[in-house]
Amino acid sequence: MNKIQKIKISVIILVGLLIIISPTKVFAQSLNSSNYTLQSPNLTGSSGIVDSGSTNYSTVFVAGDPTADSRLESTSYSTGVGFPNGIYANVPLVKCFETNTDDSVGGATDTSCEAYSLTSAVGGADTIAGDGMQGICGTPGCYDRAKIEIDAQNNPIDTLYLVSITDGDTATEYFLQSDNTLSTGYDINDYQTICQIEGYDPRTGSGCETSSDPDWDDVLQQYNVLNLHAGVTYTVKVKALNGDYTESSYSPTVSATTEYAALVFDIDIDDSGGTATETDAPYNILLGDITDTTVTATDRIWLDMGTNVFNGFTLEVENTDLTNGTDTIPSTTEDLSVDLGADGGYGLKIDTYTEDGLGPIIAASLYDTVGANEVGALSSAPATIFSTNTTGSNQGPISGGRASVMVKAKAVTSTPPGAYTDLITFLMTGNP
Amino acid sequence: MKLLVHNLKILIILFCILLASFLFMQRVNAQQVNGSSEGGVIKVSPAISYLKTGDPIKLIIENDTEFPFSYSLSASTFDLNLEERSVKRLENIDDVSLFFTIKEEDLFGQVEPNNKKIIEATYIGSESNTLVGIIVSQTSATAINVGVSTEFASLVIDQTLSIEDKGLISDNLDVKPSNNVLGFNLSNKYKIQSDFSNDTNKLLKISGEITVKDGKKYLANYAMSQYLLDPLFPGDQKEFQYTFIDNRSFWDRFGETEFIQTYVVNGESYISSYSVFTVPAELIWLGGGLFVVLVVSLIIRSRRNVNRYESRIKQLEEEVAQSEEDSTNKIN
């Protein structure tokens, strides 16, 4: 075997290896063959029936190019015929764009969203987690986020959508980014499927049908537009894309206004039956005669509490001192029945607390005591008495919080006589 | 006549009784009656504002009760309560102008029932870097026996970052290919890890995403913003992990793959990136295969050369032997 033959064998082996390992790319081939040629593939005439009749090729045929016709357009629609209208994606609709809806069925603020959270997936339910966006964010609604759902209008599952959001205050147009925030620019990454935008898509094969699907996202089902500003009216519209050159026009617009992050609080004074009482300032609790047995004021301090702050609120209490101007009845955390210091005492004890929705209210153990005459101390340093937070399954926002607090005091025989007064102040703050 | 006088007397007596009752009727003033109507509330917003020096605030006091709400405005400083993830009031500041610009006439006032008042304010900063808030205090409280009062805090989180603060914020982007040999990545699977940490004494609001690119070609994107809705408290860390699998052909995977993390902290943008040079295993196998073929063909070739040389040597030896024999025969 001579040199040339050996070289040929080596080359053949090498080429053979390259063919096996290299990916095969097939480029588009010419429509011409030895048997036919297709030139400017259009069909004229009234028949739009095309029979390609071959397994070797396929073509896109155009059923003529009509001239301009004003009947094809109106103020609310336009009909496109001819190439390339036939390949455009269907114009989608905004099914819902909400910040402060509730579930008052048939009411003006009824939710149109159909999101399903992980724990409450109910077919056809007309709620988000039970009570519209107020069920997510608390009364009166969301201040920094919103929920959008898209009606695909028969576009395929893999259709991509771009969401445009305009700030009504500044008239700035933003686009929903792939991380659910807003930006004035966008690129192909920001075109997303319904599954990616909403974390839920009931269509078979979407990858978002049930909670066991990989792309199911119960957070996006609650809110999927982030970093909004409070008190601003936003207007959204959506367009669809399903392959090159197929982008649809924008949908009709839908608007929603974000709420403000708010604290809701009120004091009422009434006895233990005052669950729904409304009283006016000035608020005063009459302790009556403070004796050497524990005295509990007949009236309670009733507190209404609510917030839509995402991380909840903290209610602190402080006082000036229970004093007759000269002498003070001390306030320490203790069982007044025992009165270890034998110097009398004064403080607060939580009686009841409840809420209508979200939360729950968390009562501080300092004041939520066990013993009938156990009280928490009051001082000029604020102490937390009630709060909400987001630890575990807790939710910061709360609706319809209502609590009652008892005021107790006790004197000793050495307590100087006099008219003892105090000013108790409750301070409500949102949690950052 | 007697009857007339008698009737007159009765009339006069009745008249006097009526007159007396009008004159001496006791008026019972309406007392503080604790009724049973549904409760109304006072609503104050914004509860929390993320601001920089000079930013405006629109303070709204909404009275949904049936009674007027008298208020006064002051300020307070707050400290972060890291344990409870809340704030704690430090000090009351009567002079609100130390931190906010508010019109004099808005510092005190009354909001009528079912009405709201909007107060324009401007945040002028906090020199001590402590948290501050506008305090809305109900002013009708009196300490008769035990008086009870209400206050609301409209908290301001200062977004300003000093140069020192910026150096105390880290994102620690790290990418670990699943098969790394001598600094070269052989695999198509990458573990991306991003670890935000806040070593400042401030609350940080962060949003961000990670983009994977090959030159100008976008390969993947991972969003973090929805997991960063809560601000990062001082000392907090937040870790994200993603797995990126590159499903392209081995030839497309050859070369640099770039991982870019873009994020915004308190309104300021940051960017960090991490590059991985990939030599796909298939290329290694291909190269190895070619090398083996080359070596084998060289061995075969060299062995053939050796055989040829040996046969040539043998031939030469035979020729030498033959010529020696011929010489011997000639002499003989």
Side-chain angles (χ1 to χ4, degrees):
Chain A
M1 189 185 291
N2 59 27
K3 260 192 195 175
I4 291 173
Q5 280 178 323
K6 290 169 197 165
I7 291 170
K8 278 184 184 173
I9 291 170
S10 298
V11 168
I12 289 167
I13 294 170
L14 181 63
V15 170
L17 280 169
L18 281 172
I19 288 171
I20 291 166
I21 296 169
S22 297
T24 304
K25 291 190 180 180
V26 178
F27 295 98
Q29 297 183 353
S30 168
L31 291 175
N32 297 332
S33 82
S34 56
N35 301 323
Y36 67 86
T37 299
L38 291 173
Q39 295 179 348
S40 303
N42 278 335
L43 278 184
T44 56
S46 59
S47 172
I49 297 173
V50 175
D51 182 7
S52 65
S54 169
T55 56
N56 300 324
Y57 65 87
S58 64
T59 57
V60 176
F61 286 95
V62 175
D65 295 320
T67 56
D69 188 333
S70 61
R71 291 174 296 173
L72 295 178
E73 286 193 357
S74 80
T75 54
S76 58
Y77 72 88
S78 66
T79 302
V81 293
F83 186 83
N85 295 288
I87 62 171
Y88 285 160
N90 295 332
V91 176
L93 290 176
V94 178
K95 189 194 301 180
C96 76
F97 176 58
E98 298 178 1
T99 61
N100 58 8
T101 49
D102 60 18
D103 189 32
S104 55
V105 178
T109 55
D110 189 17
T111 180
S112 301
C113 294
E114 294 181 342
Y116 296 82
S117 69
L118 187 63
T119 57
S120 62
V122 178
D126 191 29
T127 62
I128 298 174
D131 202 13
M133 291 310 288
Q134 290 188 31
I136 305 294
C137 295
T139 307
C142 308
Y143 55 90
D144 64 349
R145 63 201 67 191
K147 178 65 196 292
I148 185 170
E149 290 182 1
I150 298 169
D151 185 332
Q153 291 288 291
N154 294 322
N155 281 315
I157 291 172
D158 59 349
T159 301
L160 305 175
Y161 301 88
L162 181 71
V163 180
S164 159
I165 303 178
T166 301
D167 181 322
D169 280 4
T170 63
T172 305
E173 185 180 21
Y174 297 96
F175 299 92
L176 188 67
Q177 305 292 292
S178 56
D179 67 346
N180 304 101
T181 58
L182 305 184
S183 177
T184 51
Y186 64 91
D187 56 29
I188 190 61
N189 310 334
D190 304 313
Y191 283 78
Q192 303 179 83
T193 60
I194 285 180
C195 174
Q196 289 169 326
I197 293 173
E198 301 176 24
Y200 168 71
D201 188 339
R203 294 176 290 179
T204 304
S206 67
C208 273
E209 296 165 69
T210 66
S211 57
S212 57
D213 284 338
D215 296 321
W216 172 280
D217 191 320
D218 56 339
V219 173
L220 294 180
Q221 290 166 21
Q222 297 174 66
Y223 43 83
N224 50 11
V225 183
L226 306 175
N227 292 356
L228 300 179
H229 294 296
V232 174
T233 298
Y234 290 92
T235 301
V236 301
K237 55 187 179 184
V238 185
K239 58 181 175 182
L241 177 72
N242 193 272
D244 290 343
Y245 315 115
T246 66
E247 190 173 70
S248 73
S249 53
Y250 272 116
S251 66
T253 59
V254 174
S255 296
T257 304
T258 49
E259 295 291 331
Y260 288 95
L263 300 172
V264 173
F265 188 55
D266 187 45
I267 290 176
D268 303 298
I269 304 296
D270 200 3
D271 60 25
S272 58
T275 310
T277 298
E278 170 77 5
T279 59
D280 186 20
Y283 306 109
N284 290 103
I285 293 283
L286 301 177
L287 274 170
D289 291 332
I290 305 172
T291 65
D292 58 357
T293 55
T294 306
V295 170
T296 303
T298 305
D299 287 334
R300 311 283 193 263
I301 304 172
W302 287 92
L303 309 169
D304 289 311
M305 295 169 282
T307 189
N308 62 348
V309 174
F310 197 74
N311 284 322
F313 74 91
T314 298
L315 186 70
E316 294 177 297
V317 62
E318 60 186 56
N319 78 326
T320 54
D321 270 332
L322 185 63
T323 177
N324 62 6
T326 310
D327 307 292
T328 301
I329 295 177
S331 179
T332 52
T333 299
E334 62 177 335
D335 186 339
L336 293 178
S337 306
V338 176
D339 189 17
L340 282 175
D343 53 356
Y346 162 63
L348 301 180
K349 176 180 168 61
I350 293 172
D351 188 19
T352 62
Y353 54 97
T354 185
E355 66 281 327
D356 288 343
L358 299 169
I361 288 179
I362 298 164
S365 57
L366 177 64
Y367 299 104
D368 192 18
T369 57
V370 174
N373 291 318
E374 276 188 73
V375 295
L378 289 166
S379 73
S380 58
T384 301
I385 183 168
F386 291 109
S387 63
T388 60
N389 60 39
T390 54
T391 56
S393 60
N394 292 350
Q395 291 174 286
I398 189 166
S399 299
R402 181 76 168 169
S404 62
V405 180
M406 293 186 281
V407 182
K408 292 177 178 282
K410 181 185 174 185
V412 290
T413 50
S414 58
T415 303
Y420 286 80
T421 62
D422 185 21
L423 181 61
I424 298 174
T425 301
F426 290 92
L427 169 68
M428 180 178 259
T429 314
N431 296 332
Chain B
M1 188 63 176
K2 269 192 181 175
L3 185 59
L4 185 61
V5 169
H6 179 71
N7 288 340
L8 273 173
K9 282 183 186 173
I10 291 171
L11 277 173
I12 290 167
I13 291 169
L14 280 174
F15 179 76
C16 289
I17 290 171
L18 277 171
L19 187 63
S21 65
F22 273 121
L23 284 174
F24 298 107
M25 186 187 297
Q26 288 222 334
R27 289 184 185 270
V28 178
N29 290 318
Q31 293 185 352
Q32 185 69 39
V33 176
N34 293 330
S36 59
S37 60
E38 286 298 316
V41 291
I42 304 294
K43 197 192 311 182
V44 171
S45 60
I48 300 176
S49 307
Y50 289 83
L51 303 174
K52 293 190 176 176
T53 302
D55 285 346
I57 307 173
K58 199 185 287 185
L59 183 68
I60 304 172
I61 305 172
E62 209 168 322
N63 180 1
D64 290 334
T65 71
E66 295 172 9
F67 313 102
F69 177 75
S70 300
Y71 73 89
S72 67
L73 299 183
S74 61
S76 281
T77 55
F78 294 84
D79 202 8
L80 285 173
N81 186 333
L82 299 180
E83 258 185 49
E84 294 178 12
R85 289 304 198 230
S86 63
V87 295
K88 207 165 179 55
R89 173 147 71 178
L90 276 177
E91 188 185 354
N92 298 329
I93 312 285
D94 287 336
D95 186 4
V96 71
S97 66
L98 290 174
F99 306 106
F100 303 96
T101 303
I102 302 177
K103 286 185 200 164
E104 194 72 32
E105 59 265 31
D106 287 333
L107 294 178
F108 300 89
Q110 183 165 286
V111 184
E112 297 304 319
N114 299 308
N115 232 310
K116 70 178 173 186
K117 183 164 186 176
I118 299 174
I119 299 167
E120 307 279 348
T122 304
Y123 174 58
I124 60 177
S126 169
E127 283 183 8
S128 60
N129 283 333
T130 53
L131 296 173
V132 297
I134 299 175
I135 303 297
V136 179
S137 303
Q138 189 166 23
T139 55
S140 47
T142 55
I144 297 176
N145 215 221
V146 178
V148 187
S149 178
T150 312
E151 289 184 337
F152 301 79
S154 177
L155 193 65
V156 172
I157 310 291
D158 198 314
Q159 294 271 275
T160 309
L161 290 176
S162 65
I163 294 173
E164 291 79 20
D165 290 332
K166 291 174 188 176
L168 297 172
I169 302 166
S170 51
D171 64 287
N172 297 318
L173 176 65
D174 189 25
V175 180
K176 288 188 176 59
S178 60
N179 192 356
N180 190 302
V181 176
L182 299 175
F184 293 100
N185 170 38
L186 304 182
S187 75
N188 68 334
K189 197 171 172 183
Y190 307 80
K191 182 179 164 189
I192 309 169
Q193 190 167 309
S194 183
D195 194 351
F196 288 102
S197 68
N198 176 10
D199 293 321
T200 71
N201 59 355
K202 296 179 179 170
L203 281 166
L204 301 180
K205 279 209 89 173
I206 305 178
S207 62
E209 61 180 353
I210 293 175
T211 305
V212 185
K213 292 175 84 170
D214 177 357
K216 287 188 182 175
K217 191 173 178 183
Y218 154 84
L219 299 177
N221 178 271
Y222 301 98
M224 292 182 281
S225 296
Q226 65 183 97
Y227 306 107
L228 288 166
L229 293 175
D230 291 341
L232 231 57
F233 274 66
D236 270 4
Q237 284 180 315
K238 190 89 177 181
E239 186 185 276
F240 298 93
Q241 287 188 0
Y242 307 96
T243 300
F244 168 62
I245 299 175
D246 191 344
N247 291 319
R248 296 178 297 164
S249 68
F250 81 96
W251 190 251
D252 287 330
R253 284 188 278 120
F254 176 65
E256 288 272 340
T257 305
E258 199 177 9
F259 299 80
I260 303 168
Q261 179 164 266
T262 52
Y263 58 101
V264 176
V265 181
N266 285 13
E268 299 208 21
S269 300
Y270 296 83
I271 186 166
S272 60
S273 65
Y274 195 107
S275 289
V276 176
F277 188 84
T278 301
V279 180
E282 293 89 334
L283 262 182
I284 303 275
W285 287 115
L286 177 64
L290 288 173
F291 180 74
V292 165
V293 165
L294 186 66
V295 166
V296 166
S297 66
L298 283 173
I299 290 172
I300 293 171
R301 191 170 154 187
S302 63
R303 281 185 70 83
R304 285 189 185 140
N305 286 341
V306 165
N307 289 341
R308 191 172 68 238
Y309 293 143
E310 281 177 351
S311 66
R312 178 69 179 148
I313 289 169
K314 195 174 174 185
Q315 188 184 6
L316 287 171
E317 282 175 350
E318 284 174 359
E319 286 176 4
V320 166
Q322 184 64 40
S323 69
E324 281 179 357
E325 194 180 326
D326 289 343
S327 295
T328 306
N329 289 341
K330 267 193 184 171
I331 293 169
N332 290 337

